Amino acid sequence: MESTSFFASKQRRRLADFVTLTKPRVMMLAVFTAIVGLTIAPGDLAPLSACIAVLAIAAGAGAAGVLNMWYDADIDALMTRTASRPLPSGRVGPGEALAFGLVLAGSSVVVLALATNLVAAGLLAFTILFYVVVYTVWLKRRTPHNIVIGGAAGALPPVIGWTTATGDIALESLVLFLIVFLWTPPHFWALALNRSDEYARAGVPMLPVVAGRRATKRQILLYSLLLFPASLLPCGLGLAGALYGAIAAICGALFVGIALRLNRSREGDAQVAQRLFVFSIAYLFLLFAALLSDHGGGQALAGLSCPGACIGFATAGEC
C-alpha cells in the first residue's frame, strides 16, 4: 500500500514537472489574449470548435515554452531565478523535454487546422517557430534587442484567435498585435533591471547588461509613451467603446507615470522597477478584459467553459 502511494506521489511530481516546462503562467497570458481576439472577431465559430481552438493555442504556447526551456537549460542553471526548473535540476531529461515539446507543437497545429482553418494553424506554427528558432536560438544570446524582435511571438496570440473565427488577418487584429508588441519591452526590461547580475553571469546580453540601467530606463519610457496612443487605436477603429477607452486612458497614464518615475530615479530604483513590472501585468489584463466587456465578454466566455480553458494571471516575465 505504501509503495503504491509512493509511486502515485512520484507520478504526480513528474506530471507537475512537465506542466512546469510549458511555462503555464506565461501560457495563460497568451491564451487570454487569444480568447479576446477570438471573441471580438466578427466571425461565427461554433462553441465546440472555439473550445478546441483555445486548447490547441494553449498547447502551442506550452510547446514553445518547453522547447525554450530545453534549449536554455545551460543558462537556466546559472541563474537563481531559473536554476530550480525541471531541466537544470535534473528532474526531467533533455530528450524527454525535446520529445514532449515537439509532440505538443505538432499536435497543437494539426488540431487547430482540423478544428478551424489553415490560416490560424499556419500562424500558430509560425509563432512557435519564431519563439523557438528566432528568439531562443538566434536572438536571446546574441543581441540586446532580443526582447524587442522576439516579442513578436508573444504578440501573435490575439491575431491567432482572430483568424480562428474569421479565417483571415484583419487590420483590427494587427492593432491588438501592436499593443502587445509595444507592451513587451517595458514589461521585460523592468524585470531585467533587477536581474541584470544574473543575466550577466549567464552571458545573456539583456539591455541593462549591455547598455546600463540609465539607457534601459530611457527605453522603457520611450516604449511606454508609444504604447499609450497605440492602446487607444481600438476606439478609433470602432473595435471598442467608452469603457475600453476610459480604462486604456487611465491605465496608460499610470503606466507612463511609473515609467517616468523610474526614468528619473538615479539610486534605489529597484522597487520602482518591480512596481512597473507588476503593474504591466495588470495593465495588459485590464486592457484586454475591457475589450472583452465591450463585446459581451461574460456570455462569450461562458461558451468557452471547457476543461482546461480557464484563465489565470500570476506573473509573466519568464523569457
Side-chain angles (χ1 to χ4, degrees), residues 16 33 107 117 134 192 209 257 268 274-275:
T33 60
S107 59
N117 58 76
V134 177
V209 176
Q274 178 64 18
R275 187 176 304 156

Side-chain angles (χ1 to χ4, degrees), residues 80-202:
T80 304
R81 182 173 63 90
T82 56
S84 62
R85 285 175 172 176
L87 278 163
S89 64
R91 299 195 306 274
V92 175
E96 294 176 306
L98 178 60
F100 178 49
L102 291 175
V103 169
L104 203 58
S107 59
S108 67
V109 173
V110 171
V111 168
L112 190 60
L114 294 174
T116 59
N117 58 76
L118 291 176
V119 178
L123 268 178
L124 180 60
F126 174 79
T127 302
I128 296 170
L129 284 172
F130 193 93
Y131 184 73
V132 175
V133 177
V134 177
Y135 170 67
T136 303
V137 176
W138 180 32
L139 296 173
K140 186 173 181 178
R141 306 184 189 214
R142 288 173 173 80
T143 171
H145 302 294
N146 47 19
I147 288 300
V148 178
I149 304 170
L156 279 170
V159 185
I160 298 171
W162 184 283
T163 57
T164 61
T166 65
D168 60 19
I169 301 172
L171 176 61
E172 292 88 345
S173 67
L174 294 179
V175 167
L176 301 181
F177 169 89
L178 179 64
I179 291 170
V180 182
F181 181 77
L182 292 175
W183 166 87
T184 302
H187 166 72
F188 276 105
W189 286 335
L191 172 69
L193 280 171
N194 291 338
R195 302 284 185 176
S196 58
D197 56 337
E198 292 188 32
Y199 283 117
R201 186 165 61 248

